[in-house]
Amino acid sequence: MGVKILEQSVERVVATMPVEGNRQSFGLLHGGASLAVGEAVGSWAAVIHASTLGKTAVGVDVSATHHKSARSGTITITATPIHLGRTLATHEVLITNDDGGRLCTLRITNLLLEKK
């Protein structure tokens, strides 16, 4: 998918992904690619938080709204916390285009589990 992590902390995870190679048959950024990368970045943010508690994270819920499409360029994926608890972590994930326009908004909740 060509994802690159630019920044990672408990407060924020930022990644980029090219539209090229992630299009559907009509030439638009594939909605499934948006969900996959959004879930991956949001889950990574939850894992970072979980690690501060000696735990790991697994996704339990994800939802997304597609606002606009993209045909070219690079998208930026930014996950920020909504709730950082001891058993659940919820993040908002924004996907934007090269101009900063919002393409997709995701919300992901991860369950924080003790490491086995």
Side-chain angles (χ1 to χ4, degrees), residues 2 6 12 17 19 23 32 35 45 68 95 99 106-107 110:
L6 304 181
R12 189 164 101 138
M17 183 181 83
V19 173
R23 293 188 189 116
L35 263 89
K68 291 179 10 179
I95 299 178
D99 297 327
L106 292 90
R107 190 194 71 197
N110 283 270

Side-chain angles (χ1 to χ4, degrees), residues 17 25 96:
M17 183 181 83
S25 57
T96 57

Side-chain angles (χ1 to χ4, degrees), residues 71-115:
R71 292 186 177 274
S72 62
T74 301
I75 62 171
T76 300
I77 308 95
T78 304
T80 55
I82 296 171
H83 171 76
L84 296 176
R86 299 189 59 74
T87 56
L88 288 177
T90 302
H91 288 82
E92 178 180 58
V93 182
L94 300 181
I95 299 178
T96 57
N97 62 18
D98 288 325
D99 297 327
R102 187 182 297 231
L103 302 179
C104 185
T105 305
L106 292 90
R107 190 194 71 197
I108 181 168
T109 299
N110 283 270
L111 178 64
L112 308 184
L113 299 172
E114 298 294 334
K115 292 182 181 180

